[in-house]
Amino acid sequence: MVLGVLSRPVWADTTLKVVEVIPSPARTALLQQEFASFEKSHPGIKVQLTSLPWAEAFEKFLNMVQAGDTPDIVEMPDRWLGLYANNDELLDLTADFKRTSSLANLSDRALQFGSAVRGKLYEIPYGFYVRGLFWNKKLFAQAGLSAPPATLADFVSDAKKISAMPGKYGYCMRGGPGGFSGITMFMNTMDGQPGYFHSDGTSTLSDPGAIQGLQLLATMYKDGSAPPDSVNWGFNEIVAGFDSGTCAMLDQDPDALIGIAGKMNADDFAVAPIPVGPGGHAYPTLGYGGWSIFANSSHKDAAWQLLSFMVSPDNNLAWSKVVGTLPIYKDAEQNAHFQSDKFKGWFTELNDGSKYVLVTPPTYLEGFGDLYDNISIKTFQQVLLGQRTAKDVADQWASYLTDQLKAYKAHQSAN
C-alpha cells in the first residue's frame, strides 16, 4: 500500500513567470486576483508577474528574449505571434488543449487565430477586438445630424460639419502608436478588398483604392477634421479626445468602451458599424490577444495549468468585462452584459457577413510586428504632415508585406 498519495499534483517551490504587455491598473489587479486564487488551489506554485508598458513592450520583450530572460507565459498580441512562433520559441499547445475539458466550448474563431502559424496552437486567445464606430449624439445633434454615417462619404461630410463648430473636431485620428489596423481598415474599405494580399501574393495596400483610403485620412487631417496634435495620438489620447467631447467620432474596439462609459452619459453616445465604402462593404479589423507558453519553459505542465485556468469560462467572462474584449466561448454573447445597446454595432458586424467582412492581420509573418509597431507609425505621420505622398508610403508598406509573404512561403517550403 502506498500512503500519502494526493489526488492532485503538488509542485514544490515552483515559480511561474508571466509577462503582460498591455497593462492597465484594472487588468493587472484582475490578474493578481486570479493568480492568488490559482496559488491557493495549487500548493507550491508561486506566480511572478512582470508588466511591460505597451508603448515600449515590443522592444523590451524582444530584448528579454534575446538575453535569454524568457518567461513561462507571455501575453501574445496577434501581430507578435509570427515572430516568436516561426522561430520555434513557443510551445505547441494542441495536445494540452485536447485533454482539457474546461476548454471544450472554445469558439472556432479562437482556435483558428490561435493556430494562425503553421496550423499549430501556439496561443490561446483571451478575446477579440472588433473595430466599431463610436459617435457622440450630442455633437451630432449640434451639427444638425441625427444618425451616424452609413458610408465613408457620409463620414467625411459629417466630420467637416462637426469640425466647423468652435473647438470641436469630427474624428479622433490615431496618428501615433497602434494606428495601423485602423489605417488599413480605411484602405481596405475604399479599395473594396479585404485583407492584405492578392491571390498572386502581392499586397493589396498599393492598389489605387487603398491609396485613396490612406489619402482620405491625410486630407481629413489637413482640412481640420481631426485635432492637430492627433498626429501623435495613441489609444489613451483618442479615447480622451472622444470622452471629453473634443471630437465626435472614434473607430475603436470594445476595450475603449470601459473608459468611455465611465466618463460619458450612456444616452450621449453609441457604437455603430464601420461606414461602408464605394462598393457597399466595410472591412472592420478583427484583432485578438492571448497567452502563449515559451518552449524553453522548465515548468510546462504547471504553466499549462495556469494558462488554462486564466482562460477558463468564468475567468474569461470576468476578463472580457474588465479588459473590453469579446469573449472566446461559443455561447458568451448570450450573457446579459453583452446584450447592451452599446454592443450592437460590433455584433452587427460579426453577424452580417453580406455587408461587413472582418479582416484579421497576417500575424504569421515574422516581420509584421515591426511594420505595425515601428515602421508604419513614422511613415503615416509623414503622410499626415505632407512630407511624403500617400502613394509613396502605401507602396512601401505593400512592398514590405509582399517580401514578408515571400519569405514566409520560402520558409514553409524549406520545412
Side-chain angles (χ1 to χ4, degrees):
M1 173 180 285
V2 179
L3 299 178
V5 177
L6 299 178
S7 60
R8 63 187 182 192
V10 175
W11 294 268
D13 300 322
T14 297
T15 297
L16 293 176
K17 297 180 180 180
V18 179
V19 170
E20 65 165 340
V21 300
I22 317 177
S24 73
R27 82 200 302 269
T28 301
L30 179 60
L31 280 176
Q32 296 285 21
Q33 180 181 335
E34 288 183 0
F35 294 160
S37 177
F38 180 82
E39 290 172 350
K40 185 175 181 180
S41 61
H42 292 75
I45 294 182
K46 297 296 180 184
V47 183
Q48 175 184 312
L49 178 65
T50 298
S51 300
L52 301 180
W54 173 239
E56 308 164 5
F58 182 80
E59 291 188 1
K60 285 198 169 190
F61 187 70
L62 185 61
N63 290 337
M64 288 174 61
V65 173
Q66 291 173 340
D69 184 20
T70 54
D72 297 285
I73 299 174
V74 61
E75 181 177 9
M76 186 61 60
D78 49 16
R79 61 261 194 193
W80 294 15
L81 186 60
L83 174 60
Y84 294 105
N86 280 315
N87 284 305
D88 299 317
E89 291 172 304
L90 302 180
L91 185 68
D92 181 0
L93 305 174
T94 304
D96 291 311
F97 166 75
K98 288 182 176 179
R99 63 179 172 82
T100 305
S101 59
S102 62
L103 305 185
N105 205 32
L106 203 68
S107 72
D108 293 339
R109 283 193 182 274
L111 289 173
Q112 173 193 348
F113 300 144
S115 306
V117 179
R118 303 177 186 169
K120 295 182 179 181
L121 193 62
Y122 288 119
E123 172 179 18
I124 303 293
Y126 56 57
F128 306 126
Y129 299 95
V130 180
R131 194 61 55 99
L133 186 72
F134 289 76
W135 62 290
N136 184 314
K137 295 181 179 180
K138 291 181 70 175
L139 290 182
F140 267 67
Q142 290 170 21
L145 302 167
S146 60
T151 68
L152 282 186
D154 294 337
F155 174 75
V156 172
S157 175
D158 292 353
K160 284 184 178 180
K161 291 177 181 177
I162 293 164
S163 300
M165 297 189 296
K168 302 300 179 183
Y169 300 90
Y171 177 48
C172 289
M173 187 172 291
R174 189 168 182 172
F180 191 65
S181 289
I183 298 164
T184 54
M185 177 182 69
F186 281 98
M187 295 173 76
N188 285 168
T189 299
M190 280 298 293
D191 192 34
Q193 297 274 355
Y196 294 79
F197 297 103
H198 294 291
S199 58
D200 65 359
T202 59
S203 174
T204 61
L205 296 190
S206 58
D207 289 357
I211 296 170
Q212 290 175 19
L214 184 56
Q215 183 61 52
L216 179 149
L217 294 173
T219 300
M220 291 182 71
Y221 180 77
K222 183 178 180 180
D223 71 17
S225 291
D229 55 348
S230 64
V231 66
N232 295 310
W233 281 7
F235 177 82
N236 291 333
E237 291 83 6
I238 60 174
V239 171
F242 184 80
D243 66 37
S244 67
T246 299
C247 40
M249 290 183 286
L250 167 70
D251 61 278
Q252 254 308 315
D253 311 315
D255 56 346
L257 181 59
I258 296 172
I260 291 170
K263 294 184 179 180
M264 293 183 71
N265 187 304
D267 296 329
D268 290 343
F269 76 99
V271 180
I274 294 297
V276 301
H281 294 83
Y283 301 95
T285 56
L286 190 156
Y288 57 97
W291 301 102
S292 297
I293 296 176
F294 258 74
N296 63 358
S297 169
S298 300
H299 311 291
K300 294 182 179 65
D301 183 54
W304 173 254
Q305 295 292 325
L306 176 57
L307 191 157
S308 59
F309 176 80
M310 293 162 67
V311 299
S312 62
D314 287 345
N315 283 337
N316 183 244
L317 183 60
W319 176 267
S320 296
K321 291 178 179 179
V322 168
V323 175
T325 53
L326 301 179
I328 58 176
Y329 289 93
K330 293 176 182 177
D331 57 355
E333 70 181 72
Q334 302 305 318
N335 184 275
H337 176 77
F338 298 102
Q339 299 297 306
S340 161
D341 287 345
K342 294 294 184 286
F343 287 93
K344 283 186 177 179
W346 291 302
F347 284 116
T348 295
E349 293 172 349
L350 284 170
N351 297 325
D352 185 359
S354 66
K355 186 180 291 187
Y356 306 101
V357 179
L358 301 177
V359 174
T360 57
T363 56
Y364 52 88
L365 301 179
E366 183 173 338
F368 183 72
D370 192 33
L371 175 63
Y372 191 107
D373 291 310
N374 294 306
I375 298 170
S376 67
I377 299 173
K378 178 181 179 180
T379 50
F380 180 54
Q381 290 173 338
Q382 290 172 334
V383 175
L384 294 182
L385 296 173
Q387 298 167 352
R388 294 177 67 182
T389 67
K391 183 180 187 307
D392 185 26
V393 168
D395 285 347
Q396 177 185 344
W397 294 351
S399 177
Y400 181 90
L401 287 170
T402 300
D403 289 345
Q404 282 288 310
L405 184 60
K406 286 180 181 177
Y408 173 77
K409 288 181 176 180
H411 182 77
Q412 292 294 96
S413 298
N415 291 278

